[in-house]
Amino acid sequence: MLAGWLDLAAAADHFNILVYHHVSTDSPASTSVTPQVFREHLQFFQDQQIHVMPLAEALAAVTNGSPLPDKTIAITFDDGYRDIYDNALPLLEEFGYPFTIFVATDPIDKGYGDMLSWAQLRTLAQRGVTIANHSTDHAYLVRQQAGGALGRAGLRANIEQAQQRLVDELGDAVPRWLAYPYGEFSTQLQDLLKDMGYLGFGQHSGGVWAGTHAQAIPRFAAAGIYANTATLATKIGSHPMPIDEANLPNMLTTDRSPSVTVDFTDNLVPTLPLNCFLDGDPLPASRPTASSFRLSSPAPLTLGRHRFNCTARSASGAFYYWFSKPWLVSDGTQ
Ligand SMILES: [Zn+2]
């Protein structure tokens, strides 16, 4: 009874965000779905009674503790490619699904042909699409070895300039949300966004719940190798693993063999078997206490992005709890 009650309660207190980039047949496969596959996704959401909600509404429900329908998702796109207007918009309007686009403003200001124009973005905004901030230039904002690593003033200027362009072109409805370019962030950038009153969206997998760090909001990739509906169904049905997200270490690290100790905030999930992975390869978790687990990279990692993922099958078998810890390994040079 208790397990059943917890499953039911958890189903209503979280949602999952999907991130797409291109909807096109002639863009890079790893970040694309074809229009045909995108239609299959939308049809799947409709057939499976998956509740597609505006991102702001779903976030507000989690923040306010209001219950959400089971299997609620929000649809997002990063970068602002023109194929969203040409190929995704007609399908999303056909199904009546709301969505959000995070755009980098410089490529739009430069009028690149494969990007949305400001006129198209205004049309999208008028039709109810949410447009938000993805930096001015899509730079590696925190990646030190690439020479990115803007200081605090540079980061603030980049975010504020992009926001100003969005507000100038689209009006005051633009929310204070930043999708981190490449999904890369650091504790320093998270703290800055918090000071500036922004939410921060990553590209690591996991669900959104009351315990989600407001400047490390996860999103499930839905394109490329992740585009098949069986994989999507597992993610959409997943629940955030109930852990203390406030204590997770900096994504940006100079430790080539990073590790993390994760504290559960629930008594049931720690009794379930954990399956963990490092970049897709099995990674054993140790259990220092009954209410925690620990993951350590068994060998030095290459510079750049890596991830720990863990899932735990629910007692009922109906869904998985999902945890992801992204890393950005740096050699610390400028
Ligand atoms: Zn991007």
Side-chain angles (χ1 to χ4, degrees):
M1 273 310 287
L2 185 61
W5 179 82
L6 284 170
D7 278 3
L8 187 67
D13 67 358
H14 71 274
F15 70 104
N16 290 309
I17 308 175
L18 303 183
V19 55
Y20 295 88
H21 288 77
H22 289 283
V23 177
S24 172
T25 52
D26 56 6
S27 46
S30 64
T31 55
S32 299
V33 289
T34 65
Q36 183 189 337
V37 167
F38 193 60
R39 172 182 279 282
E40 287 167 13
H41 285 191
L42 303 187
Q43 188 66 52
F44 177 78
F45 302 156
Q46 188 179 75
D47 293 347
Q48 299 295 314
Q49 296 178 310
I50 290 161
H51 199 81
V52 183
M53 191 177 269
L55 180 53
E57 276 183 36
L59 288 167
V62 166
T63 304
N64 300 333
S66 310
L68 283 164
D70 193 20
K71 290 194 281 188
T72 293
I73 63 169
I75 296 172
T76 68
F77 295 85
D78 275 10
D79 300 344
Y81 294 109
R82 185 195 165 97
D83 54 60
I84 298 168
Y85 193 91
D86 295 337
N87 300 332
L89 176 66
L91 292 170
L92 287 156
E93 290 198 324
E94 179 186 329
F95 283 84
Y97 289 153
F99 61 105
T100 296
I101 309 175
F102 291 94
V103 300
T105 54
D106 283 358
I108 296 163
D109 279 334
K110 289 172 181 169
Y112 292 156
D114 57 346
M115 307 306 289
L116 294 164
S117 67
W118 287 117
Q120 288 170 330
L121 284 163
R122 272 191 292 278
T123 300
L124 288 161
Q126 283 159 9
R127 295 198 199 176
V129 178
T130 303
I131 315 292
N133 192 331
H134 195 37
S135 82
T136 55
D137 54 356
H138 209 284
Y140 289 104
L141 296 175
V142 299
R143 184 185 282 236
Q144 289 166 311
Q145 71 272 15
L150 294 172
R152 187 177 173 91
L155 289 170
R156 180 186 286 272
N158 188 313
I159 296 160
E160 283 182 344
Q161 282 171 26
Q163 192 74 11
Q164 192 60 53
R165 289 298 298 129
L166 291 167
V167 169
D168 286 350
E169 296 285 349
L170 305 172
D172 291 335
V174 177
R176 292 172 82 80
W177 299 346
L178 179 78
Y180 300 114
Y182 311 98
E184 296 182 355
F185 54 91
S186 65
T187 302
Q188 294 78 7
L189 180 52
Q190 290 175 281
D191 290 347
L192 174 64
L193 283 192
K194 186 179 180 189
D195 284 354
M196 296 172 71
Y198 280 75
L199 302 180
F201 296 81
Q203 289 187 33
H204 53 296
S205 52
V208 185
W209 63 302
T212 295
H213 192 301
Q215 287 78 34
I217 299 173
R219 296 181 295 166
F220 282 108
I225 59 170
Y226 305 109
N228 76 77
T229 47
T231 303
L232 266 188
T234 302
K235 293 172 173 177
I236 289 169
S238 73
H239 293 205
M241 199 171 285
I243 57 135
D244 184 355
E245 298 191 20
N247 281 342
L248 295 177
N250 200 338
M251 179 179 180
L252 180 65
T253 179
T254 54
D255 184 350
R256 297 289 287 263
S257 299
S259 59
V260 60
T261 301
V262 182
D263 297 314
F264 286 108
T265 56
D266 157 285
N267 294 322
L268 174 70
V269 179
T271 66
L272 305 172
L274 272 178
N275 275 308
C276 298
F277 301 87
L278 164 58
D279 297 337
D281 293 324
L283 177 67
S286 63
R287 299 296 292 267
T289 69
S291 62
S292 67
F293 63 96
R294 182 173 175 79
L295 300 168
S296 299
S297 175
L301 301 176
T302 57
L303 299 180
R305 290 192 298 276
H306 298 275
R307 64 181 187 275
F308 293 163
N309 277 321
C310 297
T311 57
R313 197 161 177 241
S314 68
S316 68
F319 63 87
Y320 288 88
Y321 293 98
W322 203 294
F323 164 74
S324 176
K325 172 70 188 107
W327 298 106
L328 177 56
V329 179
S330 167
D331 64 5
T333 64
Q334 298 298 311

